[in-house]
Amino acid sequence: MNGAEELNDRFYTGFILMLCGVCVFFALFVLIVIFGKKIKVKWNKVIFFGLLALSVCATALFAVRFSRYCLDFGTVRKGDYRTMTGIVTGYGKAVSFENGSVGFYVPRIRDAETGEIMELHVSGTETGEGYTFLYLPHTKLAVIRTE
């Protein structure tokens, strides 16, 4: 699988997950509002408003993330990915496992042309090494270009 195909797979997986998240939590919100009128006991009202607040917050969170995928949708459909060559200067986020290995990275990359530092969602990088990336501007999903 080349870099563009891998980036497409990652994009569409995230797009579908965010769309499902928005739909599920919005449906939960609607169901809570519809059935909330039937609640008579005081304790149930506390649970009702807690679930209502949870569904609103989760819907908003998924909607914001989904909007970034919508902004990148045209880029993916055209295959007009951005490229950047740069050096990994460090990591914004990393997941360490018990065996000492590090999983998902959000490396900080200094662009070789502009000197700008950008965080991209990509794995397989090492600090101090230079790479060329294909990435999406809004979601910051990226893959290492192998061509």
Side-chain angles (χ1 to χ4, degrees):
M1 181 182 309
N2 69 22
E5 289 174 353
E6 184 180 346
L7 190 55
N8 277 348
D9 287 348
R10 289 184 61 203
F11 173 81
Y12 283 116
T13 300
F15 183 85
I16 290 168
L17 288 174
M18 291 302 125
L19 179 61
C20 289
V22 169
C23 292
V24 165
F25 284 106
F26 184 73
L28 178 64
F29 170 76
V30 170
L31 290 174
I32 290 170
V33 169
I34 289 171
F35 292 114
K37 296 177 182 178
K38 298 179 181 181
I39 295 176
K40 305 274 190 250
V41 182
K42 189 174 192 174
W43 174 249
N44 285 341
K45 287 187 179 186
V46 171
I47 293 172
F48 166 74
F49 285 113
L51 287 174
L52 187 65
L54 174 70
S55 66
V56 167
C57 291
T59 302
L61 178 70
F62 276 102
V64 168
R65 298 271 310 185
F66 182 66
S67 68
R68 293 179 189 156
Y69 280 89
C70 290
L71 291 171
D72 279 340
F73 192 77
T75 302
V76 172
R77 296 281 293 173
K78 293 176 192 172
D80 186 25
Y81 310 107
R82 295 194 181 169
T83 59
M84 179 178 76
T85 301
I87 297 173
V88 177
T89 60
Y91 296 96
K93 298 176 189 172
V95 177
S96 299
F97 299 103
E98 290 179 10
N99 64 3
S101 65
V102 179
F104 183 76
Y105 304 125
V106 181
R108 290 188 184 113
I109 302 153
R110 181 180 305 278
D111 190 341
E113 293 178 13
T114 64
E116 176 186 355
I117 294 179
M118 182 183 298
E119 288 187 354
L120 297 176
H121 298 278
V122 64
S123 60
T125 60
E126 294 182 23
T127 304
E129 295 292 321
Y131 301 94
T132 299
F133 299 95
L134 288 176
Y135 74 97
L136 298 171
H138 301 286
T139 56
K140 302 297 186 199
L141 293 174
V143 294
I144 297 172
R145 188 173 186 176
T146 55
E147 301 163 11

